[in-house]
Amino acid sequence: MPDRPTSRDVARLAGVSRTTVSLVLNNVPDVHISPETRQRVLEAARQLNYYPDASARRLVSGKTRTIALVWHRGPDQTYRDAFLPGLLQGVSRAAHHYGYYVLFRPIEPDEPDDAWVELARGRHTDGLILSGPRSDDIALLDLHREGFPLVLHGQFPGADIPSVDVDNERGAMTALRHLLALGHRRIGMITNAPLAYTASHQRLTGYRRALEEAGIAFEEALVRYGNFDEESGRRAMESLLALEERPTAVFVASDMVAVGALRALREHGLRVPEDMALVGFDDIAVSRYLTPALTTVHVPAFGLGWSAAELLIRIVEGDIPNETQVRLETELVVRESCGARITDADQRG
Amino acid sequence: MPDRPTSRDVARLAGVSRTTVSLVLNNVPDVHISPETRQRVLEAARQLNYYPDASARRLVSGKTRTIALVWHRGPDQTYRDAFLPGLLQGVSRAAHHYGYYVLFRPIEPDEPDDAWVELARGRHTDGLILSGPRSDDIALLDLHREGFPLVLHGQFPGADIPSVDVDNERGAMTALRHLLALGHRRIGMITNAPLAYTASHQRLTGYRRALEEAGIAFEEALVRYGNFDEESGRRAMESLLALEERPTAVFVASDMVAVGALRALREHGLRVPEDMALVGFDDIAVSRYLTPALTTVHVPAFGLGWSAAELLIRIVEGDIPNETQVRLETELVVRESCGARITDADQRG
DNA sequence: GGTGTATACTAACACGTGTCAGTAACACGT
DNA sequence: ACGTGTTACTGACACGTGTTAGTATACACC
């Protein structure tokens, strides 16, 4: 590999100083360079195929123009993987739009929870997006207190750290309203995860509020707790089917869990939606290919990624918005598992 | 934000020179530091919560300890997104294992094809993994000729650039042998994409070779061309069903396309596998949840990612392997769409 | 003819680290 | 007493860039 050209080489070739080269190539405003000189510099840079060295630039500017997406893997691995392409795409596109690069850093369960801290402390990046379950990390709070730019994907009760999430409660209410509108009165629920997870809790709250709104009493007996995976859904549905007075519809707060629920129903010879209607949550890629295709609450993965990156970059650049808690709306995607009339527009959803 | 401590601060606190701090913290071999001094330095660094500045380190070492994954988006977007989580996970874990970071850079269709070049020329990274369709990029060949570390995901006929891919031909043969073993003699094929795509061509070759092996004449009339998406699969299957003498089984060289084929069959009231057996290729997440669950050729996304990163890092570090064309084996995943007896072991696959 | 101002550039410093060449102190063998 | 080697450290340079303060020239103004 021949030595890369530096700005010094460009300066020499153009017959100017290194400073002038920098001024020209960075288009520094309010500084006068004669058109001929400017042209000579640009030509020299082109001829030498000059690209400024990123490391040197970072060092002197103190900015890396890089943000990192920290992807904590936990018990919900496969579940969250379903969102990775969309989320990452959103983060990357927003980053690129604002002139930033994206570092992707998954943290495996066997790594210390705060393995990502060196990214911040070593100034590998200007800011971080943290996604996935975390213990109430002291390192996180420290960094936030020191003013290091952070955005969470998902919520962190307690501290007021900027975050991006979906409006889980309203999403659940949409699902419920759909079932209620179809005439269901006895509606069960299977949560996506244990209630310790904020999202889980919020979706349950949405379920309760929607019932309340419709004047239906909440029954503890109709609620089961899923745990991210298919198998937990199967078991939960089994348990609901064992009830003396079965529900006619079930809101499953996670598509992955709904897949298991669907299997349990099939194993019992029950038809969906005729014998039991089902609404999921998340709208993962699989849902539209199930038989019957699953009606579900769409989570805008791309939008979450974009919003997180955009918010983070604004913070990095000191343009701090007055509202740092972003909540995106969900959207109900009507397919076949509820028996609602499918319009042409929905067909492709 | 208070000023971050530098190695100078550590040196001052420990009462030694900056050089000594560097020697201690980097554990430089063959240099003698007294245990007490070493201890003092470590203690000072801990006390100040010192992390060396990544940019400065990069500048002086000339290494970024970063590799980039360039993700070209093209006509096969949704198809390739199915592999992103696994591939990226593989790349990231291998990178982390060798002490590298991962930069993720998608290139949108509306960007210039060689938008990634600045990553290399500006020394943002030590090496690149390029994934997705590319025009025969002159920039690519230039960089490779200059010795910049590159690894391709997928193949690039012509130049001998290190690459990682799946053995498409053998994968297709596995699929065919399975169908042949089940007694099928008249077997159609729907390709994953136009033959201009290397993978597409290779899978077709595998199909031909397996037939040949079994003493069955290849019939052009039994081949249709898919184009990444569901709809192309539907059309291709429609066309096969219009044949006077229908095949009893079809090898669809892409699960995504197979989904469409399945739909066409269902629309014609045909049962799978009784009236028509189906084998896919890729083993995307959706395949196991289809009805019937799709028998398919598993592509090891994680392994491809890991191998690509490992190969790249070896090249970056000058430890160039004598074989730079890595081909990973596929594995047939038997599910329901072929009517093969399902063993307990397969059940969960 | 002096003062002021705009133009077109440059010299020199700073960013924070890794590392090479060098030095002082001391032990050891002859 | 002298050279040799070892231990334990340090001073100074280099990496390639952005930027500030400054200089030289030309020109206008009264």
Side-chain angles (χ1 to χ4, degrees):
Chain A
M1 255 186 295
D3 273 7
R4 289 188 332 125
T6 70
S7 65
R8 178 166 287 105
D9 299 319
V10 177
R12 199 173 311 147
L13 182 59
V16 296
S17 75
R18 223 178 42 66
T19 305
T20 304
V21 172
S22 174
L23 296 177
V24 169
L25 296 183
N26 294 319
N27 255 316
V28 179
D30 299 331
V31 75
H32 305 274
I33 306 283
S34 74
E36 306 84 58
T37 305
R38 191 176 291 272
Q39 197 47 47
R40 273 213 319 286
V41 170
L42 290 173
E43 174 57 28
R46 209 191 50 72
Q47 196 176 323
L48 294 175
N49 201 15
Y50 169 73
Y51 284 76
D53 182 89
S55 305
R57 212 174 227 203
R58 287 174 173 219
L59 176 59
V60 69
S61 72
K63 297 280 164 201
T64 63
R65 298 207 73 87
T66 300
I67 61 176
L69 174 60
V70 175
W71 192 251
H72 277 276
R73 321 202 93 233
D76 53 350
Q77 290 198 10
T78 51
Y79 159 68
R80 290 177 63 252
D81 269 0
F83 291 116
L84 184 54
L87 194 89
L88 186 55
Q89 213 63 233
V91 170
S92 302
R93 302 246 318 242
H96 182 246
H97 179 257
Y98 289 104
Y100 282 73
Y101 287 108
V102 176
L103 210 68
F104 179 73
R105 172 72 162 96
I107 310 273
E108 303 300 321
D110 60 342
E111 291 185 69
D113 263 10
D114 57 356
W116 52 270
V117 169
E118 57 158 334
L119 281 173
R121 298 235 110 100
R123 284 297 185 278
H124 285 87
T125 94
D126 293 342
L128 291 172
I129 299 171
L130 298 171
S131 177
R134 300 155 298 279
S135 49
D136 41 354
D137 210 315
I138 189 78
L140 174 66
L141 295 172
D142 276 355
L143 273 165
H144 180 239
R145 203 170 307 116
E146 292 172 30
F148 187 86
L150 293 173
V151 168
L152 303 180
H153 168 218
Q155 294 167 48
F156 190 79
D160 182 45
I161 302 180
S163 78
V164 167
D165 202 355
V166 106
D167 190 332
N168 286 297
E169 193 172 319
R170 289 189 55 171
M173 290 182 74
T174 319
L176 263 286
R177 289 205 192 103
H178 182 64
L179 289 172
L180 289 163
L182 291 171
H184 294 280
R185 311 258 87 199
R186 192 165 175 74
I187 304 175
M189 168 164 182
I190 301 176
T191 68
N192 48 317
L195 291 187
Y197 288 81
T198 322
S200 202
H201 189 79
Q202 293 171 334
R203 292 177 189 181
L204 178 58
T205 304
Y207 164 80
R208 296 185 67 149
R209 278 194 53 199
L211 288 181
E212 196 177 310
E213 202 179 67
I216 299 177
F218 169 76
E219 283 186 51
E220 187 75 45
L222 288 177
V223 177
R224 294 295 179 281
Y225 298 90
N227 191 22
F228 302 112
D229 63 359
E230 208 181 322
E231 179 54 23
S232 72
R234 223 199 84 252
R235 275 203 301 269
M237 183 56 86
E238 287 282 354
S239 166
L240 282 177
L241 291 178
L243 284 176
E244 221 156 287
E245 204 180 344
R246 285 181 180 172
T248 62
V250 175
F251 165 49
V252 189
S254 151
D255 287 1
M256 205 62 236
V257 175
V259 168
L262 204 58
R263 188 148 60 87
L265 290 168
R266 195 177 303 159
E267 283 166 5
H268 278 258
L270 295 172
R271 294 162 308 162
V272 177
E274 293 84 350
D275 301 323
M276 175 80 82
L278 230 49
V279 190
F281 204 116
D282 292 342
D283 193 22
I284 61 180
V286 170
S287 306
R288 59 193 298 188
Y289 300 111
L290 296 173
T291 311
L294 189 66
T295 290
T296 188
V297 179
H298 178 77
V299 170
F302 182 93
L304 286 169
W306 180 286
S307 303
E310 195 172 42
L311 177 59
L312 179 60
I313 290 171
R314 290 187 60 181
I315 295 173
V316 164
E317 302 191 340
D319 168 25
I320 300 175
N322 39 16
E323 185 49 73
T324 58
Q325 304 294 320
V326 176
R327 295 295 167 265
L328 298 191
E329 286 306 315
T330 54
E331 199 175 340
L332 185 72
V333 182
V334 178
R335 297 206 182 96
E336 305 163 359
S337 65
C338 287
R341 186 181 49 81
I342 298 184
T343 69
D344 281 349
D346 296 330
Q347 190 98 290
R348 308 258 82 215
Chain B
M1 254 187 295
D3 273 6
R4 288 185 337 124
T6 71
S7 65
R8 179 166 286 109
D9 298 320
V10 177
R12 199 174 310 147
L13 182 59
V16 295
S17 73
R18 222 178 42 69
T19 305
T20 304
V21 172
S22 174
L23 295 177
V24 169
L25 295 183
N26 294 320
N27 255 315
V28 178
D30 299 329
V31 75
H32 304 273
I33 307 283
S34 76
E36 306 86 56
T37 305
R38 190 176 291 273
Q39 197 49 48
R40 273 215 318 287
V41 170
L42 291 172
E43 175 56 28
R46 208 191 51 71
Q47 196 175 324
L48 294 175
N49 201 15
Y50 169 73
Y51 284 75
D53 183 90
S55 304
R57 219 177 219 196
R58 287 173 173 220
L59 176 59
V60 69
S61 72
K63 297 281 165 202
T64 63
R65 297 207 72 88
T66 300
I67 60 177
L69 174 60
V70 175
W71 192 251
H72 275 275
R73 321 203 93 234
D76 53 351
Q77 289 198 11
T78 52
Y79 159 70
R80 291 178 63 252
D81 269 359
F83 291 115
L84 184 56
L87 193 89
L88 186 55
Q89 212 64 232
V91 170
S92 301
R93 300 242 325 238
H96 183 245
H97 179 258
Y98 289 104
Y100 282 73
Y101 287 107
V102 176
L103 210 69
F104 178 72
R105 171 71 162 100
I107 310 272
E108 304 301 322
D110 60 344
E111 292 186 69
D113 264 11
D114 58 354
W116 51 271
V117 169
E118 58 156 333
L119 281 172
R121 297 235 111 100
R123 285 296 186 276
H124 285 87
T125 95
D126 294 340
L128 291 172
I129 298 172
L130 297 172
S131 178
R134 299 157 297 280
S135 51
D136 40 354
D137 209 314
I138 190 77
L140 175 65
L141 295 171
D142 276 354
L143 273 165
H144 180 239
R145 204 171 305 117
E146 291 171 30
F148 187 86
L150 292 173
V151 168
L152 303 181
H153 168 219
Q155 295 167 46
F156 190 78
D160 182 47
I161 302 180
S163 78
V164 168
D165 203 355
V166 107
D167 190 332
N168 286 297
E169 192 173 322
R170 290 189 55 172
M173 291 181 74
T174 319
L176 263 286
R177 290 205 192 104
H178 181 65
L179 289 172
L180 290 163
L182 291 171
H184 294 281
R185 311 258 89 199
R186 191 163 176 75
I187 305 175
M189 169 164 182
I190 301 176
T191 68
N192 48 317
L195 292 187
Y197 288 81
T198 322
S200 202
H201 189 80
Q202 292 170 335
R203 290 176 191 182
L204 178 58
T205 305
Y207 164 80
R208 296 185 68 148
R209 277 194 55 200
L211 288 182
E212 193 178 312
E213 200 179 69
I216 300 177
F218 169 77
E219 284 185 50
E220 188 73 46
L222 290 177
V223 177
R224 293 294 179 283
Y225 299 91
N227 191 21
F228 302 113
D229 64 358
E230 210 181 321
E231 180 53 24
S232 72
R234 223 200 84 253
R235 274 203 301 269
M237 182 57 85
E238 288 282 354
S239 166
L240 282 177
L241 292 178
L243 284 176
E244 221 157 285
E245 204 180 344
R246 285 181 180 173
T248 62
V250 174
F251 166 50
V252 188
S254 152
D255 286 3
M256 206 62 235
V257 175
V259 168
L262 205 58
R263 189 148 58 87
L265 290 168
R266 197 177 302 159
E267 284 166 5
H268 279 257
L270 294 172
R271 292 162 310 162
V272 178
E274 294 84 350
D275 302 323
M276 175 80 83
L278 230 49
V279 191
F281 204 117
D282 292 342
D283 193 22
I284 61 179
V286 170
S287 307
R288 60 194 299 187
Y289 300 110
L290 296 173
T291 310
L294 189 65
T295 291
T296 188
V297 179
H298 178 76
V299 169
F302 182 92
L304 286 169
W306 181 285
S307 303
E310 196 172 42
L311 176 58
L312 179 60
I313 290 172
R314 290 187 61 182
I315 295 173
V316 164
E317 301 191 342
D319 169 26
I320 299 174
N322 38 17
E323 185 49 71
T324 57
Q325 303 295 321
V326 176
R327 294 296 166 265
L328 299 190
E329 286 305 316
T330 54
E331 200 175 342
L332 186 73
V333 182
V334 178
R335 297 206 181 96
E336 304 163 359
S337 66
C338 288
R341 188 180 49 80
I342 298 183
T343 68
D344 281 351
D346 297 327
Q347 189 97 292
R348 307 258 84 216

